[in-house]
Amino acid sequence: MFFTDFQYALNTWRRSPWLPLTSAVLIVLADLPSAAGHTAWFWILPSLPFAVFGVGYVGTERLWYRRAWNVQGMTPEDVWRASWGYFGRYVRLGLIGLVGIAVIELPVLVISHASWTSPIFSILLVVLAVVLDVLATFVTPALAYTTRSAFRAISIGLSTVRQTWPESALYVLCPPLALAVLLRLFNPEHGLPLLAQDTSTTLLNLAFKGAVAAYYLRLAIPAEDKAIPLTK
């Protein structure tokens, strides 16, 4: 079922080509400082608005899929309104994730007497990122489709994994593991290779998001009032 939904997401791009194009352009513009190398400082301010906009656009991508499957379009105004409508809830979710990482990492650093630049810190950060990505599989679509509350979305997402396991195993495990392996195999420091990697991983992740969204929507979890920004 996972691979069918993955193909379904890719097929959606043919009907809604602006979805992958917008996601790819946004990540390139937001990541210009990382790609610029020694001139990174020059690109920080120009890229900052795109990075900020991208926070809420995470929810818009999922809404875009849903509207495409319902044979509804997404105008530039819709993308703009939805992204800012999603902004606050995804900021709160990100802050909760950062607190979770800090709660785990800080004691480890203190006990091991390791520094922020030590291999222990880097390895633990990667492991935690993958674990959080696994746990957040259904949290992010819940925040896009079902509720405006980050805490409620976490509850829905975790309970969904528990109730659908092992049927949902590939949806939960494939995306974060595939992206982690890809990032480890190809890790350019800056320039066009970095932008090419960012674009390819963004598009791969977008397809994964579509597969997870299709599965989540089939569960038909009742949505709270005004959970979706464009709902009138």
Side-chain angles (χ1 to χ4, degrees), residues 142 145-146 152 156 159-160 163 216-224:
Y145 300 132
T146 309
R152 174 66 177 147
I156 293 172
S159 64
T160 300
Q163 293 166 9
Y216 180 86
L217 288 172
R218 283 199 300 272
L219 300 177
I221 299 174
E224 297 175 0

Side-chain angles (χ1 to χ4, degrees), residues 69-103:
W69 296 331
N70 291 336
V71 198
Q72 295 175 297
M74 282 285 284
T75 67
E77 181 185 0
D78 291 335
V79 174
W80 177 263
R81 288 175 52 218
S83 297
W84 291 117
Y86 281 125
F87 179 81
R89 67 184 78 175
Y90 280 97
V91 167
R92 292 189 289 273
L93 182 62
L95 291 176
I96 293 171
L98 289 176
V99 170
I101 291 176
V103 167

Side-chain angles (χ1 to χ4, degrees), residues 5 10 22 60 100-101 130 138 140 171 173 183 194 202 208 213 227:
D5 283 336
L10 292 177
T22 303
T60 300
I101 291 176
V130 172
F138 298 116
T140 42
Y171 296 88
L173 297 176
L183 290 173
L194 178 61
T202 293
F208 285 146

Side-chain angles (χ1 to χ4, degrees), residues 204-220:
L204 178 60
N205 196 30
L206 180 63
F208 285 146
K209 291 175 183 177
V212 172
Y215 182 83
Y216 180 86
L217 288 172
R218 283 199 300 272
L219 300 177

Side-chain angles (χ1 to χ4, degrees), residues 4-231:
T4 301
D5 283 336
F6 184 81
Q7 185 62 51
Y8 185 43
L10 292 177
N11 291 339
T12 304
W13 295 2
R14 291 203 295 265
R15 300 196 304 272
S16 302
W18 283 105
L19 170 56
L21 182 60
T22 303
S23 298
V25 170
L26 193 59
I27 191 62
V28 168
L29 293 174
D31 212 24
L32 284 176
S34 299
H38 65 279
T39 60
W41 60 270
F42 179 80
W43 296 102
I44 292 177
L45 283 180
S47 68
L48 185 59
F50 300 101
V52 173
F53 181 78
V55 174
Y57 181 74
V58 170
T60 300
E61 288 175 320
R62 291 166 171 85
L63 177 60
W64 207 325
Y65 272 119
R66 177 177 174 174
R67 288 174 69 94
W69 296 331
N70 291 336
V71 198
Q72 295 175 297
M74 282 285 284
T75 67
E77 181 185 0
D78 291 335
V79 174
W80 177 263
R81 288 175 52 218
S83 297
W84 291 117
Y86 281 125
F87 179 81
R89 67 184 78 175
Y90 280 97
V91 167
R92 292 189 289 273
L93 182 62
L95 291 176
I96 293 171
L98 289 176
V99 170
I101 291 176
V103 167
I104 296 174
E105 286 223 332
L106 288 178
V108 173
L109 290 175
V110 172
I111 294 172
S112 64
H113 302 288
S115 67
W116 297 101
T117 57
S118 69
I120 293 177
F121 179 79
S122 300
I123 293 172
L124 184 58
L125 192 61
V126 171
V127 171
L128 284 175
V130 172
V131 170
L132 285 177
D133 207 2
V134 166
L135 295 177
T137 298
F138 298 116
V139 174
T140 42
L143 202 55
Y145 300 132
T146 309
T147 180
R148 291 178 293 174
S149 167
F151 287 105
R152 174 66 177 147
I154 292 172
S155 175
I156 293 172
L158 296 180
S159 64
T160 300
V161 172
R162 185 175 64 254
Q163 293 166 9
T164 59
W165 190 269
E167 181 186 79
S168 62
L170 289 177
Y171 296 88
V172 173
L173 297 176
C174 273
L177 293 179
L179 292 172
V181 169
L182 183 61
L183 290 173
R184 292 296 294 175
L185 290 177
F186 307 99
N187 190 26
E189 294 184 358
H190 53 76
L192 289 178
L194 178 61
L195 291 180
Q197 176 191 266
D198 288 347
T199 303
S200 60
T201 53
T202 293
L203 292 176
L204 178 60
N205 196 30
L206 180 63
F208 285 146
K209 291 175 183 177
V212 172
Y215 182 83
Y216 180 86
L217 288 172
R218 283 199 300 272
L219 300 177
I221 299 174
E224 297 175 0
D225 185 40
K226 297 182 180 179
I228 299 176
L230 297 184
T231 302

